[in-house]
Amino acid sequence: MTGERTSPPTVADERTMLRAHLDYHRGTLGLLCDAVPEEELRRPSMAPSSLSLLGLVRHMAEVERAWFRRIVDGQDVPLVWSDRFDFQEAYRAEGASAAEAFAAWRTEVEHSRRVEREADSLDLVVRDARHDQEVSLRWVMLHMIHEYARHNGHADFLREAIDGTTGV
């Protein structure tokens, strides 16, 4: 999958810190999926939830796409797995391809990194029409850190249930 994660610096400027923490959490999701057979990546947690590691990867591809490509970059593109803007559709991973999910996630992460690097300032303000609010790039990055941290907690439990791996 990805398998790479670098610890964020303990002293740095704000942008470097935000970028490093976001990449740390992206790397954590990749590590939690490393060496897991494709069928196990699709394995749902427990009824009634359909949440799986692969579903989390698909969901995070959609979240990256929505915030960085659609909102910050202003592109009018659909989500990858939903034409109704339903982020929950990405969670349903039965029959989904791991190669396709990880390729989409990596594509969206790289696009997000480019958008952030090219922005003049974290103070860049964009319109989030879906939630009828203005947000700064700083807020988007903090939101993404929150989103990954929350879902990496889910991924910790999912991975432990698959093969007992903890402490990633």
Side-chain angles (χ1 to χ4, degrees):
M1 305 311 149
T2 62
E4 296 178 17
R5 178 179 65 186
T6 303
S7 293
T10 57
V11 177
D13 64 272
E14 180 184 23
R15 195 164 193 167
T16 300
M17 282 281 201
L18 289 173
R19 184 182 291 154
H21 277 271
L22 182 50
D23 278 341
Y24 177 85
H25 284 291
R26 288 167 171 152
T28 298
L29 181 59
L31 284 172
L32 286 163
C33 295
D34 268 356
V36 176
E38 185 161 346
E39 200 53 43
E40 292 294 315
L41 287 170
R42 284 192 211 94
R43 180 177 171 195
S45 59
M46 67 177 69
S49 177
S50 62
L51 189 62
S52 66
L53 286 171
L54 192 56
L56 286 172
V57 170
R58 288 165 44 107
H59 175 73
M60 291 312 300
E62 296 286 41
V63 172
E64 293 267 4
R65 184 177 184 90
W67 283 108
F68 285 97
R69 194 179 292 269
R70 291 182 54 88
I71 295 170
V72 177
D73 208 20
Q75 294 183 22
D76 184 19
V77 295
L79 293 180
V80 179
W81 291 284
S82 173
D83 56 358
R84 299 176 302 148
F85 230 80
D86 179 1
F87 287 88
Q88 301 302 312
E89 284 187 44
Y91 283 138
R92 294 185 275 284
E94 60 278 345
S97 159
E100 177 186 30
F102 281 95
W105 179 55
R106 283 190 297 271
T107 295
E108 295 308 324
V109 166
E110 286 310 311
H111 184 83
S112 297
R113 286 177 176 144
R114 183 185 59 73
V115 167
E116 182 272 320
R117 272 192 320 267
E118 292 177 0
D120 291 336
S121 166
L122 292 173
D123 293 324
L124 169 71
V125 174
V126 293
R127 183 89 187 138
D128 173 9
R130 191 164 167 256
H131 297 103
D132 193 29
Q133 64 185 355
E134 288 186 330
V135 296
S136 68
L137 177 56
R138 175 183 295 102
W139 185 92
V140 170
M141 292 182 74
L142 285 166
H143 177 73
M144 290 299 297
I145 291 167
H146 161 85
E147 187 87 12
Y148 271 100
R150 177 174 170 238
H151 290 311
N152 283 342
H154 300 137
D156 280 334
F157 286 124
L158 289 163
R159 179 63 188 261
E160 185 177 7
I162 289 169
D163 65 7
T165 296
T166 61
V168 172

